[in-house]
Amino acid sequence: WMLCFTKEQCPHPVADKMVHARSRNYVSESDVYKLESVPLDFGDYHPLKPITVTESKTKKMSRKGSTSSTSSSSSSSMMDPLSSVLDGTDPLSLFAAAADPLTATASMDGIRKKRDKDDNSAVGSDFEQWSSKRSEILSRYTTTEKLSINLYMGSEKGKTTTSGSAVSEKVRTRLEELDDLEEGSQKELLNLTQQDYMNRIEELNQSLKDAWSSDQKVKALKIVIQCSKLLSDTTVIQFYPSKFVLITDILDTFGKLVYERILSMCMDNRVSLSDNFSPETVNDTAKETCLNWFFKIASIRELIPRFYVEAAILKCNKFLSKTGILECLPRLTSVIRGIGDPLVAVYARAYLCRVGMEVAPQLKESLNKNFFDFLLTFKQIHGDTVQNQLVVQCVEIPLYLTLYSPAIDWILQCIAYRAPEVLLTEMMERCKKLGNNALLLNSVMSAFRAEFIAARSMDFIGMIKECDESGFPKHLLFRSLGLNLALADPPENDHLQILNEAWKVITKLKNPQDYINCAEVWVEYTCRHFTVRANLFPLKVFCHLFPSFISMEVCKCIMESFIKHQQESTKDPVILNALLHICKTMHDSVNKNEQNMLVFLKFNYWKAVSFGRDFEQQLSFYVEARSMFCNLEPVLVQLIHSVNQLAMETRKVMRGNHSRKTAAFVRACVAFCFITIPSLSSIFTRLNLYLHSGQVALANQCLSQADAFFKAAVSLVPEVPKMISVDGKMRPSDAFLLEFLCNFFSTLLVVPDHPEQGVLFLVRGLLNVIQDYTWEDNSDDKVRIYTNVLHLLSAMTQETYIYHVDKVDSNDTLYGGDSKFLAEISKLCETVIAQILDHLKTLGKEETLKRQSQLALCFFNTILAHGDLRNNKLNQLSVNLWNLAQKHGFADTKTMVKTLEYIKRRSKQPDMSHFTDLALRLPLQSRT
């Protein structure tokens, strides 16, 4: 289809053109632009392979951005990879010498508390932090055997280096210092008691802090490496979980020190980076220092200390790139595969999950991969190597398995946090494949939400019965199940069977302590589901006393008690009538200060009211509630949403194929909403509810009712005031109106035309309202709306629309690309474009040239996205808009460059060669 403009219609100098809409194939476009899935090829990379470092010799390098020429050569000697970009000074020493230590310390202390608080809030308050588990592990996993530890003895090497030393000398000295640690600069202390061992670890922690505060960064790193090595020692295996807690405390301290050190280097005029800073805001010195730390850690030869130290500073990747953490987590997960001892490996995985949840809790895929890797190696626990180790240390397999619990529990807690229910199903299947291992099963029940576990109680009981009791007692599994059932209810039909299965095991316990620990959990379950509970509301005495409940406080207490103790939904008419009467009493006597409280109580009350599949009774309840609470607008809004939800639930039950009865019911729901919405005072609440309710009516094939909602919304737009109250403050309404209209346009694409109303009657009516609406003089929202209208009209010309409503024929089906229909759209486009160009012309004054530039570029992008630029005159129109955007020097050069680069990329695609000619006709002009 084609549009022709005359000078009389569009007086703007760029308007005398013909416009074509671009034909779209949404399916093929989706295939072209979706992210490509490519297999991951590591090539020669392997996490255990030695690191090769290349030395790059630099002739000249300026920190202030001056150009320099470089030449590179490979060297077999171990060099600091950052030496090529330094001007003779280690960035760690450079910043320490330049900064005032007192000022830096004072500045950092002020932000440290806030940042620590933010770090802890990276996940919700419902997530149990590692710190809460620390004391329990230390008290549970103890030993009376003698322990040993290696203490760092210090070194004087490299301390006499002068400031004029060459970079290579400094680097070589620092690498020798690191090698010195691995070659024996340590002293082994033997025959330590557990308390002595813990004291020595605390001494190392303090030595780390002292070394750091005295600017002995290499010494600090040595201490951390030495401590990390201790995690490879399992000679006193029953103490390993406590050792892990003590050592990782040191690693956490080191990670915070490094992070705060680099963060302090990013301070500009004593102003710290924002909490959500991007790598682009980090200066080069801080980035170089950060890279220096990672390269130093990469030079650690042994796998376990290299893994732990890098994991400790994982958060520092934020200074380097946005994807650094995303890339490092899978790699570190792969590194753990090189740890042969399954106990050491599982705690390494726990530490990686712990760090991952602190710095990137959203990256659940890496956490899942970490655990699934563990499952693949789980059979190692019963291998000869482990069994021989247990024989030497005289440790029984049940005791050995309990050593895994803290690590597995923590890993699963991280994975299960706010995870969908389907993940539990997957975990259960994996447990079954491993023979229903009791250790894993117990951790799964401890990690996932109680509601998920309770819903599968009989499945878990079946898995527990099939477990091998030799390694992990079944009564502990039943105790874990009982703890979940104390928090959530299983299916009602399973209540008795669950109790019988659990009690069979509990009554056979011979150890009194085991019996008490398990029975106390299931006694609560028994009392909860099998005792006779007196119900207050059905009692006759309560009904006789009820009229005397005039006090607002008494009514409030009754409602709060009902909400707190009513666990399941109810449809008891006596209870509902009594509570409705209480709510009515509160509604009639409530003041403005108590309205929010009353609304809250009613919302929670309605959640407890359910008539199941009796949707008609549920609607009757909502009708009665509306008549009682007409003075509370939030309650009316919630009622409208509830009724809309009821209509959609009916559609779901009928799978979109309504019978005569259900069709009449959803029309009754629609009528409820249509009658209730006008009683609301907030105009934007009415607009949004008209739109939402119209969408619900459309989804239920109530086409005439949907048209009525949309007409009501169109007629309400002129009443939108210029200023509205938002959170107690008066603000312009333009932005809210723009957002609503854009949502409205998206819905109108799928709304079929009424046979008696003419082509696109709703779109025409809305355009007339927009045209007549009085907009602010300094606002361009009207043109932005018209631009969105062009997007809508372009979508309407397509042979098949981008989306549809199930079982509703949109205009692409009704008209089938009819030429008269397309001609009507052309006329609308002609009117809309004329309005846009007229507005651009009015912005030719000096004080509005910047707005003209922005709108011209916006219009250009619309044509670029939706127009067929193979048409020469449309092509020329886009060129004119491009030039107009740059004409007075207000265009954003960066945006223009990126737009032009996009056009050039598009020109390389099939059937897009005309973009090549367009790119040649789009000059880039400077601001001058």
Side-chain angles (χ1 to χ4, degrees):
W1 53 281
M2 184 180 299
L3 296 179
C4 298
F5 302 99
T6 64
K7 292 183 179 179
E8 289 75 19
Q9 291 170 320
C10 302
H12 197 278
V14 298
D16 190 11
K17 309 292 176 242
M18 294 192 302
V19 181
H20 289 256
R22 179 163 69 91
S23 179
R24 308 287 291 275
N25 186 325
Y26 297 114
V27 176
S28 62
E29 286 185 31
S30 175
D31 293 338
V32 170
Y33 293 111
K34 70 179 181 182
L35 293 177
E36 182 181 1
S37 177
V38 295
L40 184 61
D41 183 11
F42 285 100
D44 294 332
Y45 168 77
H46 189 277
L48 298 181
K49 188 176 180 180
I51 299 174
T52 302
V53 181
T54 301
E55 176 187 1
S56 179
K57 298 179 180 178
T58 305
K59 292 181 179 180
K60 184 179 180 181
M61 183 67 186
S62 173
R63 288 184 178 273
K64 296 184 178 179
S66 60
T67 59
S68 63
S69 59
T70 63
S71 62
S72 301
S73 63
S74 296
S75 171
S76 60
S77 62
M78 203 68 168
M79 298 297 296
D80 186 345
L82 284 182
S83 60
S84 61
V85 294
L86 302 181
D87 57 3
T89 307
D90 181 353
L92 291 172
S93 303
L94 174 70
F95 189 84
D100 179 0
L102 294 177
T103 302
T105 301
S107 301
M108 288 304 297
D109 286 345
I111 63 173
R112 187 178 292 117
K113 292 182 179 180
K114 180 180 184 298
R115 187 171 63 256
D116 289 344
K117 181 179 179 181
D118 293 339
D119 289 344
N120 292 333
S121 63
V123 292
S125 58
D126 55 335
F127 183 80
E128 186 179 3
Q129 298 293 335
W130 173 260
S131 57
S132 64
K133 301 177 180 291
R134 183 180 182 279
S135 58
E136 179 186 350
I137 296 174
L138 290 175
S139 61
R140 180 179 178 185
Y141 298 96
T142 60
T143 182
T144 57
E145 295 190 27
K146 298 300 181 182
L147 303 165
S148 63
I149 190 172
N150 292 324
L151 283 180
Y152 170 61
M153 301 304 296
S155 174
E156 298 299 322
K157 290 184 179 182
K159 292 187 178 180
T160 59
T161 303
T162 63
S163 59
S165 298
V167 176
S168 59
E169 290 292 334
K170 179 180 289 289
V171 171
R172 187 175 295 109
T173 300
R174 293 207 167 186
L175 289 174
E176 288 174 355
E177 288 177 339
L178 288 176
D179 290 341
D180 182 48
L181 171 66
E182 301 189 74
E183 292 171 0
S185 63
Q186 44 196 315
K187 176 182 178 181
E188 186 174 16
L189 299 179
L190 304 174
N191 298 323
L192 297 176
T193 65
Q194 176 179 321
Q195 188 59 48
D196 291 337
Y197 188 92
M198 297 175 68
N199 293 339
R200 296 295 184 182
I201 293 295
E202 182 57 35
E203 289 176 12
L204 285 173
N205 199 356
Q206 188 59 46
S207 297
L208 167 65
K209 297 176 182 177
D210 294 341
W212 191 272
S213 61
S214 60
D215 202 25
Q216 299 182 56
K217 303 300 187 293
V218 172
K219 179 180 178 181
L221 179 57
K222 287 183 178 184
I223 294 173
V224 175
I225 294 172
Q226 177 188 354
C227 292
S228 301
K229 285 185 176 183
L230 297 176
L231 291 174
S232 61
D233 175 23
T234 57
T235 52
V236 184
I237 200 166
Q238 61 268 35
F239 185 64
Y240 191 86
S242 293
K243 180 195 292 186
F244 172 80
V245 170
L246 297 171
I247 300 301
T248 52
D249 284 348
I250 297 178
L251 287 165
D252 293 343
T253 299
F254 176 72
K256 289 182 180 179
L257 290 172
V258 174
Y259 183 83
E260 291 172 358
R261 165 71 170 169
I262 300 171
L263 184 66
S264 67
M265 301 177 72
C266 302
M267 294 177 63
D268 184 16
N269 296 326
R270 301 185 183 180
V271 177
S272 174
L273 290 177
S274 62
D275 295 330
N276 297 321
F277 66 87
S278 63
E280 292 78 10
T281 61
V282 179
N283 58 51
D284 291 341
T285 302
K287 286 185 177 180
E288 289 173 5
T289 303
C290 188
L291 279 171
N292 194 18
W293 277 110
F294 279 109
F295 284 129
K296 283 178 180 177
I297 292 169
S299 67
I300 301 174
R301 295 174 183 173
E302 295 186 25
L303 183 145
I304 290 178
R306 185 171 68 245
F307 162 79
Y308 272 106
V309 180
E310 182 177 355
I313 68 166
L314 180 66
K315 188 176 181 181
C316 295
N317 280 283
K318 293 171 59 177
F319 296 108
L320 301 177
S321 69
K322 293 180 179 179
T323 60
I325 295 176
L326 176 63
E327 295 167 355
C328 283
L329 278 175
R331 178 176 58 79
L332 290 174
T333 300
S334 300
V335 167
I336 300 176
R337 296 174 182 174
I339 302 177
D341 190 309
L343 183 65
V344 177
V346 75
Y347 275 93
R349 297 187 189 282
Y351 187 68
L352 187 59
C353 285
R354 177 173 146 196
V355 175
M357 285 298 288
E358 290 176 358
V359 301
Q362 73 279 6
L363 300 180
K364 286 295 185 68
E365 290 185 7
S366 295
L367 301 182
N368 293 348
K369 178 187 176 186
N370 191 1
F371 182 69
F372 294 152
D373 273 5
F374 164 70
L375 293 182
L376 292 175
T377 60
F378 188 74
K379 293 182 179 180
Q380 286 182 312
I381 294 177
H382 302 285
D384 293 339
T385 303
V386 173
Q387 296 300 321
N388 293 338
Q389 184 184 22
L390 297 183
V391 170
V392 171
Q393 298 195 37
C394 300
V395 175
E396 298 293 334
I397 188 68
L399 174 60
Y400 176 70
L401 290 178
T402 61
L403 302 179
Y404 284 82
S405 293
I408 299 177
D409 288 350
W410 175 257
I411 295 172
L412 280 171
Q413 178 185 326
C414 296
I415 293 175
Y417 180 63
R418 294 181 179 175
E421 193 168 358
V422 67
L423 182 60
L424 175 58
T425 303
E426 182 179 357
M427 289 294 179
M428 293 173 68
E429 292 300 322
R430 289 180 179 268
C431 286
K432 290 177 182 177
K433 290 180 181 179
L434 290 172
N436 292 326
N437 182 273
L439 174 65
L440 290 178
L441 200 57
N442 188 68
S443 295
V444 168
M445 288 191 291
S446 300
F448 281 86
R449 289 175 54 186
E451 294 84 355
F452 296 170
I453 304 296
R456 296 168 171 77
S457 298
M458 292 306 303
D459 294 333
F460 275 104
I461 288 176
M463 295 171 69
I464 293 172
K465 291 167 70 175
E466 296 176 6
C467 284
D468 181 10
E469 196 168 8
S470 61
F472 200 97
K474 287 185 180 180
H475 73 269
L476 295 180
L477 297 176
F478 274 105
R479 186 178 191 278
S480 296
L481 179 61
L483 290 172
N484 281 285
L485 298 183
L487 300 174
D489 294 336
E492 186 174 355
N493 295 334
D494 297 336
H495 285 179
L496 184 59
Q497 188 177 358
I498 291 172
L499 182 62
N500 287 336
E501 294 292 345
W503 214 250
K504 287 178 185 178
V505 176
I506 297 172
T507 53
K508 293 179 181 179
L509 293 175
K510 297 180 180 179
N511 185 303
Q513 189 61 49
D514 291 341
Y515 179 87
I516 293 173
N517 290 340
C518 201
E520 67 176 352
V521 175
W522 286 94
V523 165
E524 181 178 351
Y525 173 85
T526 306
C527 294
R528 186 170 180 174
H529 295 290
F530 297 100
T531 56
V532 178
R533 291 177 297 175
N535 291 317
L536 173 66
F537 293 101
L539 296 179
K540 291 183 178 180
V541 64
F542 178 79
C543 296
H544 288 302
L545 290 173
F546 184 76
S548 63
F549 289 158
I550 302 175
S551 170
M552 179 74 172
E553 286 300 319
V554 173
C555 293
K556 178 183 174 182
C557 289
I558 294 174
M559 290 300 300
E560 289 177 344
S561 178
F562 174 81
I563 293 169
K564 181 178 180 180
H565 297 289
Q566 185 70 24
Q567 301 295 328
E568 65 278 351
S569 59
T570 181
K571 59 179 180 181
D572 189 310
V574 177
I575 295 177
L576 295 183
N577 287 333
L579 290 177
L580 278 177
H581 193 90
I582 292 175
C583 289
K584 175 64 175 175
T585 302
M586 297 173 69
H587 173 267
D588 294 341
S589 59
V590 72
N591 55 45
K592 290 185 178 180
N593 296 329
E594 297 173 329
Q595 280 190 355
N596 291 336
M597 176 271 298
L598 181 57
V599 169
F600 170 78
L601 292 176
K602 290 181 180 178
F603 283 176
N604 285 277
Y605 162 50
W606 284 331
K607 290 179 182 178
V609 177
S610 174
F611 292 87
R613 288 290 184 89
D614 192 350
F615 293 157
E616 292 182 346
Q617 190 65 34
Q618 190 82 32
L619 180 60
S620 298
F621 172 77
Y622 290 145
V623 171
E624 184 178 1
R626 180 183 62 183
S627 65
M628 288 187 171
F629 312 125
C630 55
N631 293 335
L632 291 177
E633 185 158 313
V635 173
L636 295 179
V637 172
Q638 182 61 34
L639 281 172
I640 294 170
H641 284 306
S642 298
V643 172
N644 277 328
Q645 183 179 358
L646 196 60
M648 295 305 293
E649 287 178 358
T650 305
R651 178 182 181 274
K652 182 179 179 180
V653 170
M654 300 302 295
R655 298 181 180 179
N657 299 308
H658 284 299
S659 63
R660 180 177 298 180
K661 181 178 180 180
T662 60
F665 175 75
V666 295
R667 286 196 295 270
C669 293
V670 168
F672 176 98
C673 298
F674 192 78
I675 293 171
T676 309
I677 292 174
S679 63
L680 304 176
S681 60
S682 171
I683 192 164
F684 277 104
T685 301
R686 278 184 281 161
L687 282 172
N688 287 307
L689 284 175
Y690 275 134
L691 178 57
H692 178 63
S693 302
Q695 292 167 343
V696 171
L698 193 64
N700 284 281
Q701 301 111 52
C702 301
L703 301 185
S704 59
Q705 287 84 353
D707 285 345
F709 279 114
F710 297 142
K711 286 180 182 178
V714 171
S715 63
L716 191 59
V717 169
E719 300 178 19
V720 174
K722 298 296 179 292
M723 303 291 290
I724 59 173
S725 176
V726 179
D727 296 330
K729 298 180 181 179
M730 298 303 295
R731 296 183 179 179
S733 63
D734 290 359
F736 297 95
L737 182 57
L738 176 61
E739 179 184 4
F740 166 77
L741 290 175
C742 289
N743 291 335
F744 201 176
F745 293 144
S746 299
T747 301
L748 291 180
L749 174 64
V750 294
V751 177
D753 280 343
H754 193 286
E756 299 177 0
Q757 298 289 341
V759 177
L760 302 179
F761 71 103
L762 285 173
V763 177
R764 292 177 184 276
L766 189 55
L767 285 174
N768 290 333
V769 168
I770 295 170
Q771 174 65 25
D772 296 337
Y773 187 80
T774 304
W775 302 87
E776 295 291 338
D777 294 336
N778 61 345
S779 172
D780 297 319
D781 287 335
K782 182 177 181 180
V783 173
R784 299 187 190 282
I785 292 172
Y786 281 147
T787 304
N788 281 281
V789 172
L790 290 179
H791 300 169
L792 169 64
L793 296 176
S794 173
M796 284 182 165
T797 65
Q798 305 304 316
E799 184 177 346
T800 302
Y801 289 171
I802 189 171
Y803 49 82
H804 295 85
V805 176
D806 187 34
K807 296 180 175 59
V808 174
D809 291 333
S810 299
N811 286 338
D812 57 342
T813 302
L814 295 179
Y815 291 105
D818 181 74
S819 58
K820 292 183 179 179
F821 173 66
L822 297 178
E824 290 295 329
I825 296 178
S826 297
K827 293 179 182 178
L828 286 178
C829 284
E830 179 179 344
T831 302
V832 171
I833 293 176
Q835 291 287 338
I836 294 175
L837 296 177
D838 284 343
H839 187 79
L840 284 174
K841 185 177 180 181
T842 63
L843 298 178
K845 301 176 183 178
E846 183 176 357
E847 63 272 15
T848 57
L849 291 178
K850 184 174 181 180
R851 290 165 53 195
Q852 185 188 59
S853 172
Q854 294 173 342
L855 289 179
L857 182 60
C858 178
F859 192 21
F860 170 84
N861 287 331
T862 294
I863 295 176
L864 188 65
H866 300 280
D868 185 358
L869 291 172
R870 288 175 293 191
N871 178 268
N872 293 333
K873 294 186 177 181
L874 181 59
N875 196 297
Q876 182 60 46
L877 173 59
S878 64
V879 172
N880 290 348
L881 288 169
W882 176 272
N883 292 332
L884 180 62
Q886 300 184 100
K887 183 176 180 181
H888 300 287
F890 287 102
D892 181 11
T893 304
K894 189 175 181 180
T895 301
M896 305 298 280
V897 169
K898 287 186 176 180
T899 303
L900 190 56
E901 290 175 352
Y902 165 76
I903 294 172
K904 291 177 180 178
R905 287 197 304 271
R906 286 283 302 275
S907 68
K908 298 177 182 178
Q909 298 176 1
D911 301 327
M912 290 292 178
S913 58
H914 55 285
F915 271 54
T916 303
D917 297 331
L918 176 63
L920 295 175
R921 301 176 64 198
L922 301 178
L924 285 174
Q925 301 174 7
S926 65
R927 290 183 178 273
T928 57

